[in-house]
Amino acid sequence: MLLKYEREQIVEYGKKLIDTNLTRGTGGNLSVYDDKSGLMAITPSGMDYYELKAEDILVMDLEGKVVEGTKVPSTEYEMHRIFYVRRDDIKAIIHTHPVYTTTLACLNWDLPPIHYLIALAGPDVKCAKYATFGTKELAENAFEAMKGRKAVLLANHGLLVGAEDLPNAFNISIQIEYVAELYYRAKSIGEPVLLSSEEMELMMEKFKTYGQVRK
Ligand SMILES: [Zn+2]
């Protein structure tokens, strides 16, 4: 079986997405890229995360061709592929529909730096221009708005996070949803105070050595 370790990791983290309320039902998708073989492992379309087995995970090349697997790949595979083709700092992607992040995405708002944890993803998190799910246009819009960052809000849709591995992509997803919840709560009783761009630069420097999930 190709990319056995990556497939098993995807199965494990798929369950975590449900357990931590990052997504519901069959929503969302995950992938891991192996730069040695140039192949990515990605979840199939519309399968229950608790039913998912390693053999259900598809292996695709970066042209979008299925190399191994019998299921239909996630409809959002373009949104995974584009980052593996164009960015060498991203080797794992998690796309989810978490409540607070998606609430902001439905307002087409960016997530501003109200808490230092946002530095795990960048100086802020932008909201990408709307496009229909599963399209190349959505992949392009997400790529554009995620430049210099590891997370992006998808307008009227959800969250996309890319990192060096799946544990870090998962951690960033959790923390961005947490900051989005803080922003929502702070906004409902007042006007949140933003951290300065100098402070965010310092935080991003610190996060190069601090706050990463290690294997
Ligand atoms: Zn989605």
Side-chain angles (χ1 to χ4, degrees):
M1 185 192 279
L2 289 169
L3 306 188
K4 186 168 185 281
Y5 172 76
E6 288 79 1
R7 290 188 191 201
E8 284 165 357
Q9 208 183 25
I10 288 174
V11 169
E12 179 194 339
Y13 277 83
K15 294 189 185 97
K16 283 183 198 265
L17 299 188
I18 300 292
D19 294 347
T20 56
N21 279 326
L22 276 175
T23 205
R24 294 177 191 190
T26 60
N29 31 73
L30 308 80
S31 73
V32 176
Y33 177 61
D34 171 49
D35 55 3
K36 282 181 221 83
S37 61
L39 299 173
M40 68 169 173
I42 187 164
T43 43
S45 178
M47 265 194 83
D48 189 303
Y49 287 106
Y50 269 88
E51 307 281 304
L52 212 55
K53 293 181 189 64
E55 53 263 37
D56 298 321
I57 307 299
L58 291 111
V59 174
M60 299 177 83
D61 65 19
L62 290 191
E63 267 95 61
K65 210 169 76 236
V66 175
V67 175
E68 200 172 83
T70 52
K71 301 278 189 295
V72 178
S74 163
T75 50
E76 297 290 13
Y77 79 86
E78 280 291 348
M79 209 162 56
H80 295 248
R81 197 177 75 90
I82 195 169
F83 288 94
Y84 300 140
V85 170
R86 297 187 193 171
R87 275 178 70 163
D88 54 17
D89 59 329
I90 292 178
K91 307 268 188 276
I93 288 175
I94 297 182
H95 163 55
T96 52
H97 303 152
V99 172
Y100 290 96
T101 307
T102 308
T103 301
L104 301 184
C106 290
L107 293 160
N108 293 8
W109 288 2
D110 297 337
L111 179 59
I114 54 149
H115 191 289
Y116 73 89
L117 276 171
I118 206 169
L120 279 169
D124 55 21
V125 180
K126 303 275 187 216
C127 183
K129 272 209 308 246
Y130 181 81
T132 308
F133 80 90
T135 59
K136 283 193 177 181
E137 190 190 357
L138 178 60
E140 286 288 349
N141 293 354
F143 180 81
E144 203 51 43
M146 206 166 108
K147 278 190 176 155
R149 291 161 179 80
K150 289 181 174 168
V152 65
L153 308 193
L154 307 173
N156 307 82
H157 183 163
L159 172 67
L160 184 82
V161 171
E164 57 274 36
D165 56 27
L166 216 42
N168 279 289
F170 177 73
N171 182 48
I172 295 169
S173 302
I174 292 279
Q175 302 300 356
I176 293 306
E177 171 62 358
Y178 173 65
V179 177
E181 179 174 355
L182 292 179
Y183 188 54
Y184 174 98
R185 288 175 181 267
K187 265 279 192 196
S188 39
I189 55 169
E191 198 45 51
V193 177
L194 304 189
L195 295 168
S196 68
S197 52
E198 294 76 34
E199 183 62 9
M200 285 312 294
E201 262 170 47
L202 179 65
M203 287 303 130
M204 285 172 66
E205 206 44 49
K206 280 186 184 293
F207 271 122
K208 284 181 182 164
T209 52
Y210 166 81
Q212 316 293 330
V213 181
R214 290 174 218 286
K215 276 181 235 173

